Amino acid sequence: MFIRLPAKRMRHTCLNNARSAGVLLCFIVSILLTGCASRPALLESTYQTLPSHVELKDVPFHPQVEYQCGPAALAMVLNYQGVNADVERLIPQVFIPGRDGSVQPEMLATARRYERIAFPIRGTLDSLLTHLAGGDPVVVMQNLSLPAWPMWHYAVAIGYDLSNETLILRSGEIKRHMLSFSRFDATWARTERWGFVIAPPGEVPAGISPKRAVDAISAYEALHGASAALPSWKALTKRQPDNAMGFFALSNAYYVLGQVNDAREALIQATHTNHELGVAWLNLGLLLQVQGHSAKAQQALEKAAQLPGPWQERAASALQSL
């Protein structure tokens, strides 16, 4: 009965060789290419609200051998959360031989297989530092060469020093690699500043955008089911009370689990949060109709029928059956 919005496929960038920075040449090339990099501008609030120095020293270190920086980086953040995942077991799940590396969707999907939700972060240095200050190591992707001759690399950001404007990374064969903000950002920008944090079900890190949070939990639910995802939907609506799609997704999870009254209340919250969310009005009307609340169902369905979108036809049909 319910209308569920399909999760969009993640965009594939051409990541054809996520190589290790452990090779000395990689670092030499990186230094040469970023020596004149401009200093990335940080928000004034970043300096005012974040600690001047953060280092997550308990993040394990796995040296990254050639072409296997993806599995090693993922193992570090999983191990940090107490997940028993070693590099050798991760290699066949993440590493794609034909591409000599690991692509972004496989990194996120593998984290989900280990019952962790992978949340892509906002692509700003301020966001990266904020996650580190919140205790979350961040898997970052860099291009250590030119865009026309990419040398892809995954590292794990574990800390920073604002006074010296340096980032601390687990990278390549270096456990504590210090890199200036400007040099790091130059290599990070070539991957559209892509990175992610992981969290167990029931936790949503601060600073994740509403859409990315919904997409991440939806992907987890597709793999593990509504019952496993329900704590995360609850956490998301608590963390982001203005996220109408979060309430809409929460209602779907409740409905699948047979908690119809809870589903109805979540839909009411979704429509209150966003009066223009037609699919929420449609589901609310259908649910109220089944529960015998004809007058309220008619109001909700009329609202859905007035809003442009694919739900209009279904709403009109439901109104005729009232």
Side-chain angles (χ1 to χ4, degrees):
M1 183 188 74
F2 262 23
I3 304 297
R4 297 175 64 88
L5 297 183
K8 293 183 178 179
R9 294 176 60 87
M10 296 209 48
R11 183 171 59 86
H12 241 284
T13 54
C14 64
L15 310 176
N16 56 354
N17 58 342
R19 303 193 179 189
S20 167
V23 182
L24 180 60
L25 176 61
C26 295
F27 286 114
I28 295 175
V29 171
S30 176
I31 291 172
L32 290 175
L33 291 174
T34 60
C36 298
S38 61
R39 172 184 175 275
L42 291 175
L43 298 173
E44 187 61 33
S45 60
T46 297
Y47 289 100
Q48 293 176 351
T49 61
L50 297 188
S52 61
H53 180 86
V54 168
E55 184 169 359
L56 307 176
K57 296 181 179 180
D58 292 335
V59 176
F61 174 61
H62 297 291
Q64 299 167 309
V65 298
E66 191 174 12
Y67 300 131
Q68 295 175 5
C69 56
L74 190 54
M76 291 185 226
V77 293
L78 287 171
N79 294 164
Y80 181 66
Q81 290 200 0
V83 179
N84 183 18
D86 59 61
V87 178
E88 294 303 317
R89 291 182 180 179
L90 288 171
I91 288 173
Q93 300 181 63
V94 176
F95 180 72
I96 299 178
R99 298 193 177 191
D100 292 336
S102 308
V103 296
Q104 295 151 301
E106 291 304 317
M107 292 284 284
L108 304 180
T110 302
R112 292 192 291 268
R113 286 193 286 270
Y114 280 84
E115 298 186 356
R116 290 297 183 271
I117 303 178
F119 294 92
I121 69 169
R122 300 175 189 268
T124 67
L125 190 58
D126 299 274
S127 177
L128 173 60
L129 300 186
T130 299
H131 284 293
L132 293 173
D136 294 318
V138 184
V139 177
V140 293
M141 189 175 192
Q142 301 167 270
N143 176 6
L144 302 180
S145 185
L146 294 171
W149 183 48
M151 187 176 294
W152 309 107
H153 172 63
Y154 291 102
V156 180
I158 64 162
Y160 64 83
D161 191 311
L162 280 177
S163 60
N164 294 327
E165 297 189 344
T166 55
L167 198 66
I168 309 171
L169 303 161
R170 301 265 193 264
S171 182
E173 297 178 357
I174 302 177
K175 182 177 181 180
R176 194 172 183 272
H177 181 44
M178 307 288 290
L179 197 62
S180 69
F181 286 170
S182 58
R183 286 181 175 175
F184 167 76
D185 192 63
T187 62
W188 195 33
R190 298 180 195 129
T191 69
E192 299 183 0
R193 295 183 174 88
W194 191 82
F196 69 91
V197 295
I198 64 171
E203 293 183 15
V204 176
I208 302 297
S209 72
K211 183 182 183 305
R212 288 178 176 177
V214 169
D215 288 347
I217 302 172
S218 294
Y220 185 82
E221 182 177 18
L223 180 63
H224 294 286
S227 180
L230 184 61
S232 293
W233 291 126
K234 291 180 179 179
L236 176 60
T237 55
K238 184 176 181 179
R239 169 77 73 181
Q240 300 177 359
D242 294 330
N243 189 341
M245 284 304 301
F247 282 106
F248 176 79
L250 174 62
S251 73
N252 278 328
Y254 275 135
Y255 187 80
V256 169
L257 297 172
Q259 299 174 231
V260 182
N261 290 334
D262 290 327
R264 182 189 64 218
E265 294 305 312
L267 284 170
I268 291 173
Q269 287 294 327
T271 56
H272 284 177
T273 303
N274 183 357
H275 294 287
E276 305 301 309
L277 190 57
V279 68
W281 284 110
L282 172 60
N283 277 8
L284 179 59
L286 294 174
L287 185 54
L288 289 168
Q289 182 181 16
V290 170
Q291 293 186 318
H293 304 296
S294 299
K296 292 182 178 180
Q298 181 173 349
Q299 292 175 0
L301 292 171
E302 286 176 347
K303 181 67 175 178
Q306 293 169 2
L307 295 169
W311 45 79
Q312 282 183 312
E313 184 177 349
R314 180 70 184 278
S317 176
L319 280 169
Q320 290 179 356
S321 67
L322 278 175

